[in-house]
Amino acid sequence: MGRIKEISRKPAHRRARNPVVYLICEGSETEIRYFKKFRTRGCHIDIIPLTSQYKAADSLVKKAKATMGSNPYYPEDGDIIWCVFDRDDNSDDSLLRAKQAAKREGYQLAYSNPSFELWFLVHFIDQRAEVPDCQNLIKMLKQPGRLEQYEKNMDVFDTLKPMQEQAIKRMKKRIEELDSGNVELLSRRSNPVTTVGELVAYLRDRG
């Protein structure tokens, strides 16, 4: 695949454009369906799923710059790349390498431990106890009064939107709790945590 072109342009030749938010995801329709809902005239979002070949966190971050074909990427104009991924089978070493690579490239990370469904769950409850894996999260999501019919790839945005602010607050508190305990967010020990709320708040502000 081609690379994102980091093009240097002279101001005199620029056409006014809204910055683009590139979301690099590990190929799940769940994330794609959800984040598409944030697209507005003022918030241009380009969602790029990667194949399972790049499911490892460090591979995904390193590959981010090579996923866009010939699409232009102008960080000096406000374009930004967010890498969205789950804990999955990542080791702490892989997660650390992802964090270091993102810092070098100026990328943002939206990390969920154990999986993206945790972001959905915290719209309903303040989850602090460890959740072993995605399957257990889905069971919790399907409890009465939550997303009882939930299946992977379901569009749940409109159902969750009224509780979005509460979900952000809950995860901010959880992140503060982990920070105060000197627990690295990008690690297996941080379960449960998701920084997707930071990305959601960013997209809302752009809209």
Side-chain angles (χ1 to χ4, degrees):
M1 303 179 83
R3 293 185 175 276
I4 298 175
K5 294 182 178 179
E6 295 190 26
I7 302 173
S8 177
R9 298 173 298 168
K10 296 180 180 179
H13 297 290
R14 286 186 184 172
R15 177 188 297 178
R17 65 186 284 276
N18 286 324
V20 180
V21 182
Y22 294 110
L23 302 185
I24 313 298
C25 303
E26 53 186 358
S28 172
E29 279 291 325
T30 304
E31 289 92 326
I32 294 170
R33 286 181 184 275
Y34 182 76
F35 287 118
K36 278 182 178 179
K37 295 286 188 167
F38 287 95
R39 285 175 171 157
T40 66
R41 291 184 64 184
C43 186
H44 292 196
I45 301 173
D46 201 336
I47 305 171
I48 305 97
L50 294 184
T51 65
S52 58
Q53 178 184 358
Y54 303 104
K55 196 167 186 178
D58 53 338
S59 296
L60 181 142
V61 174
K62 289 177 182 178
K63 189 63 178 176
K65 209 171 183 180
T67 60
M68 297 290 296
S70 60
N71 284 17
Y73 170 54
Y74 304 118
E76 72 275 13
D77 285 354
D79 291 356
I80 190 168
I81 291 176
W82 283 77
C83 298
V84 184
F85 59 96
D86 298 343
R87 182 196 72 193
D88 292 322
D89 295 325
N90 284 296
S91 65
D92 283 343
D93 285 343
S94 175
L95 293 168
L96 176 60
R97 289 193 296 269
K99 180 180 179 179
Q100 292 170 337
K103 185 175 181 179
R104 285 195 303 270
E105 298 293 345
Y107 301 162
Q108 301 297 316
L109 302 178
Y111 170 63
S112 297
N113 183 1
S115 72
F116 189 79
E117 277 79 10
L118 177 62
W119 170 242
F120 295 163
L121 182 64
V122 297
H123 285 71
F124 299 97
I125 60 172
D126 189 6
Q127 181 65 28
R128 299 295 182 89
E130 182 174 342
V131 185
D133 51 36
C134 182
Q135 288 71 33
N136 280 272
L137 268 174
I138 290 175
K139 288 179 182 177
M140 297 171 73
L141 266 179
K142 296 177 79 167
Q143 290 182 13
R146 300 174 189 173
L147 299 175
E148 297 176 38
Q149 305 302 317
Y150 180 78
E151 298 293 342
K152 280 279 191 180
N153 307 331
M154 180 180 289
D155 184 354
V156 298
F157 183 89
D158 292 335
T159 301
L160 296 178
K161 188 175 181 180
M163 299 170 281
Q164 194 177 90
E165 189 59 39
Q166 183 63 37
I168 291 172
K169 289 178 180 177
R170 284 172 175 154
M171 272 300 100
K172 278 186 177 179
K173 286 182 63 177
R174 175 59 177 162
I175 290 168
E176 290 170 359
E177 178 182 87
L178 292 168
D179 284 342
S180 66
N182 294 316
V183 177
E184 170 60 51
L185 291 184
L186 259 74
S187 72
R188 298 183 68 85
R189 294 187 301 124
S190 63
N191 185 336
V193 74
T194 178
T195 62
V196 170
E198 296 174 359
L199 172 54
V200 168
Y202 177 82
L203 295 176
R204 280 195 327 191
D205 289 346
R206 294 289 289 268

